Amino acid sequence: MDADVAIVGAGFTGLWTAYYLAEADPSLRIVVLEAETAGFGASGRNGGWCSALFPASLSTLAGLADRERALAQHRAMRETVDEVVRVAAAEGIDAHIAKGGTIALARSRAQWRRARAEVAEARRWDRGEDDLRLLDRAEATSVLRGSRTVGATYTPDCAALHPARLVRGLAEAVERRGVTIHEQTRVRAIAPGRAHTTDGDVRAATVVRATEGYTPGLRGEERTLVPVYSLIIATEPLPPAVWDEIGLARRETFTDHRHLIVYGQRTADDRLVFGGRGAPYHLGSRIRPEYDRDEAVFARLYATLVDLFPVLAGTRVTHAWGGALGIPRDWCASVGLDRQTGLAWAGGYVGDGVSTTNLAGRTLRDLVLGHDTELTRLPWVGHRSPAWEPEPLRWLGINLGLRAMTLADAEESVTRLPSVVGRIVSPLVH
């Protein structure tokens, strides 16, 4: 099979790339190759945050380029949230979108210190109150009434959505533009001008790797990204009286300032979806269906949710699932195109991919078409993360880091003071 552009992976990265390329040049022959079904991986299983979060800090981005371009990347991420909302509306995709922003509670002195430090750091980068605000207890609880709330931070730059609805709707929009999606077509390796599938080769001038957590399954990419599991639970629909106790009237997404990430949202049908990290990394970057479920982690998520909102005690969980996200060694997502080989890539979102994939797709459009734009000059463009350590070193390192974060949060929940372990390990795993 011949094509102009072959995209490996029909998640958000691959589909956004196909969407913008087909929109910019309808004559392009674009094929998307997917081992399962469109949206099968993290794109269809995440917690539904379309946010301006980027996994690497502004300081890290400035180190790749300069202060001005680091801030340009942050502005681009903020604009991307609205771009996703715009395209969904334009394409008639009912993804249950509500742009209510994100509230991050501080529920101890240690968390309050981190919240204040985050806002102070934002001000050092000239990010104003329209970008990130510090809320006192009264302001915080007017939005979300979590237990033991001291204060919070709030950003308007996040939309809650139904990710599976968005990714399936995007796949249909891509096909309407003449792009061919080959599902159940597993790619074993990528080479200049070739994507080697189990059913034969696809020849294309440009081959895009858009495989995120599944990247280690490609020959030669075993240490490019590691798949780390995030698990999620969803409650039964909650009655209005319960929501009056909790808040989230504008469907704000929420988290708190603990070390080990948790995230939640109020869905359009009034369920509470709540997820977090903590599932183990599996030796050899293995991904298996049975890893999507870990009853111990689900139980911890439920206990955390009830601790946050005691009114939920006894509430029934109707759905529980999980999936693998992709983490690069330096925690910095990247996008790029090697013009000599025609090989392009995007990924390493560390769980912040619902919006970042859209920015990646528009950037890959410009790179493939040879356009020099503001997007192609952003600091993440062309960045290459170092390879992960060989096994068993990466298995030991990743799982020790996850365990340390869990212990740090447990320590702080008792003492309400910053954890010594957390101060040491947090910079290494965030």
Side-chain angles (χ1 to χ4, degrees):
M1 179 190 299
D2 292 331
D4 296 309
V5 181
I7 299 170
V8 182
F12 279 135
T13 299
L15 294 175
W16 283 124
T17 302
Y19 179 86
Y20 288 111
L21 277 171
E23 179 183 58
D25 185 351
S27 70
L28 285 175
R29 297 170 300 163
I30 304 168
V31 299
V32 181
L33 308 170
E34 168 58 45
E36 302 288 347
T37 57
F40 174 83
S43 297
R45 307 189 205 182
N46 60 78
W49 285 36
C50 181
S51 77
L53 292 171
F54 189 82
S57 68
L58 284 169
S59 296
T60 297
L61 292 171
L64 299 178
D66 53 39
R67 179 184 176 91
E68 181 180 348
R69 284 200 285 169
L71 286 169
Q73 176 106 27
H74 179 64
R75 287 193 300 272
M77 286 299 305
R78 297 187 74 189
E79 293 163 359
T80 294
V81 177
D82 291 327
E83 172 66 5
V84 172
V85 176
R86 183 195 69 80
V87 173
E91 296 295 338
I93 302 172
D94 181 12
H96 297 175
I97 297 176
K99 190 184 177 189
T102 298
I103 183 168
L105 298 179
R107 301 173 59 238
S108 68
R109 280 183 289 172
Q111 291 190 18
W112 182 234
R113 180 181 297 183
R114 285 196 288 275
R116 287 185 286 120
E118 181 181 336
V119 172
E121 178 68 7
R123 299 296 179 264
R124 283 192 286 273
W125 286 90
D126 300 321
R127 295 171 54 198
E129 293 237 329
D130 66 316
D131 186 336
L132 185 69
R133 290 180 55 212
L134 190 68
L135 308 182
D136 62 23
R137 184 181 184 281
E139 292 174 302
T141 55
S142 71
V143 177
L144 180 63
R145 285 171 285 284
S147 64
R148 303 188 301 279
T149 295
V150 179
T153 56
Y154 174 79
T155 174
D157 298 316
C158 188
L161 53 77
H162 191 306
R165 281 175 166 264
L166 179 60
V167 73
R168 296 302 299 180
L170 184 58
E172 293 172 4
V174 162
E175 290 181 317
R176 287 196 298 269
R177 279 166 170 70
V179 174
T180 302
I181 301 175
H182 291 283
E183 298 181 324
Q184 304 299 319
T185 303
R186 187 173 300 277
V187 174
R188 297 296 188 188
I190 296 171
R194 291 280 193 282
H196 302 290
T197 83
T198 51
D199 300 314
D201 287 0
V202 176
R203 296 175 295 274
T206 302
V207 180
V208 180
R209 172 173 59 77
T211 46
E212 195 55 359
Y214 295 86
T215 299
L218 295 171
R219 193 178 312 129
E221 304 284 353
E222 292 84 0
R223 293 165 58 192
T224 301
L225 298 171
V226 295
V228 171
Y229 275 76
S230 196
L231 303 186
I232 303 175
I233 59 175
T235 70
E236 61 189 331
L238 304 176
V242 172
W243 283 114
D244 289 343
E245 289 288 323
I246 295 173
L248 304 179
R250 298 187 302 127
R251 287 187 58 207
E252 296 89 347
T253 57
F254 70 91
T255 182
D256 66 16
H257 283 274
R258 72 185 65 208
H259 294 287
L260 197 65
I261 293 171
V262 295
Y263 48 89
Q265 69 146 298
R266 176 180 182 172
T267 67
D269 61 349
D270 284 334
R271 300 173 188 271
L272 204 155
V273 166
F274 187 69
R277 311 285 166 82
Y281 162 76
H282 300 281
L283 186 71
S285 296
R286 292 195 302 266
I287 297 177
R288 293 178 179 171
E290 56 265 33
Y291 299 158
D292 294 346
R293 301 187 61 84
D294 185 316
E295 298 305 324
V297 175
F298 290 146
R300 288 199 296 271
L301 286 172
Y302 184 77
T304 300
L305 190 58
V306 172
D307 178 62
L308 268 166
F309 311 115
V311 69
L312 294 179
T315 297
R316 190 165 58 97
V317 169
T318 58
H319 299 78
W321 69 96
L325 53 92
I327 300 183
R329 183 63 182 85
D330 59 0
W331 251 254
C332 185
S334 64
V335 59
L337 169 64
D338 184 330
R339 297 201 178 279
Q340 290 188 327
T341 64
L343 297 177
W345 76 93
Y349 308 118
V350 196
D352 295 326
V354 176
S355 53
T356 316
T357 50
N358 177 278
L359 181 60
R362 288 182 285 132
T363 304
L364 284 168
R365 170 201 60 198
D366 293 348
L367 290 171
V368 172
L369 297 178
H371 298 162
D372 181 13
T373 67
E374 290 183 5
L375 296 184
T376 63
R377 293 190 291 272
L378 293 176
W380 73 322
V381 177
H383 172 66
R384 291 187 181 273
S385 300
W388 280 91
E389 289 78 3
E391 295 289 23
L393 292 177
R394 69 174 180 268
W395 179 86
L396 287 168
I398 293 169
N399 285 317
L400 281 173
L402 291 170
R403 181 62 177 162
M405 290 297 93
T406 301
L407 291 173
D409 287 325
E411 177 188 344
E412 290 184 357
S413 71
V414 173
T415 67
R416 309 294 181 210
L417 298 173
S419 164
V420 174
V421 174
R423 288 199 298 269
I424 295 171
V425 181
S426 186
L428 304 178
V429 299
H430 284 85

